[in-house]
Amino acid sequence: QAHPVESGGDSVQSGGSLKISCVEPSHWFCMGWFRQGPGKEREGVATLNVDGVPAYAESVKDRFTISRDKDTLYLQMNDLKPEDSGTYYCVADNYLTTSRCKPGTDASKFDNWGQGTQVTVSS
């Protein structure tokens, strides 16, 4: 089984913007982004269900936008803060129903993970 491939991670200043990408040509019912900061557990950031409905963690709502164009999943991140720093993982799953395709769903429920891309936000 192929895994998603992320790209676009970078170092930016606080208040800056960054757009990261994930190439995943297979069809999935649920896709999204998780992140893991230094010394922190993995947390859901945003998801996109099979109907194209996005969902966001409260901490990123109104700053981040998840979208998909053909084989690529994107995460546009604006007004970045130092606490947004971490490794961002693209995730996908074919068993999460639309009601469970949410960033609050436990990370272990997502079957397919990319290797991650690093985002560093400096103050």
Side-chain angles (χ1 to χ4, degrees):
Q1 169 175 290
H3 294 281
V5 179
E6 304 95 335
S7 63
D10 205 346
S11 296
V12 297
Q13 294 284 328
S14 181
S17 297
L18 193 63
K19 188 173 185 176
I20 56 177
S21 306
C22 164
V23 176
E24 174 46 79
S26 302
H27 173 74
W28 298 93
F29 286 135
C30 176
M31 294 192 72
W33 293 93
F34 273 68
R35 68 185 180 189
Q36 186 167 18
K40 298 181 181 179
E41 294 186 355
R42 288 186 181 185
E43 62 172 345
V45 175
T47 54
L48 195 66
N49 69 19
V50 67
D51 295 326
V53 178
Y56 300 94
E58 197 63 35
S59 60
V60 307
K61 197 173 290 185
D62 299 327
R63 298 189 297 122
F64 290 12
T65 302
I66 188 172
S67 61
R68 184 170 185 179
D69 182 16
K70 296 180 182 178
D71 296 343
T72 304
L73 184 74
Y74 299 99
L75 186 67
Q76 174 69 47
M77 302 181 287
N78 298 327
D79 190 22
L80 282 161
K81 304 175 181 180
E83 52 263 41
D84 294 319
S85 296
T87 302
Y88 282 69
Y89 299 92
C90 180
V91 299
D93 193 88
N94 261 343
Y95 297 98
L96 292 172
T97 60
T98 54
S99 63
R100 295 174 62 206
C101 183
K102 296 289 177 61
T105 296
D106 192 88
S108 64
K109 301 300 183 183
F110 291 84
D111 283 343
N112 206 13
W113 288 70
Q115 292 300 306
T117 187
Q118 183 68 34
V119 173
T120 303
V121 185
S122 56
S123 56

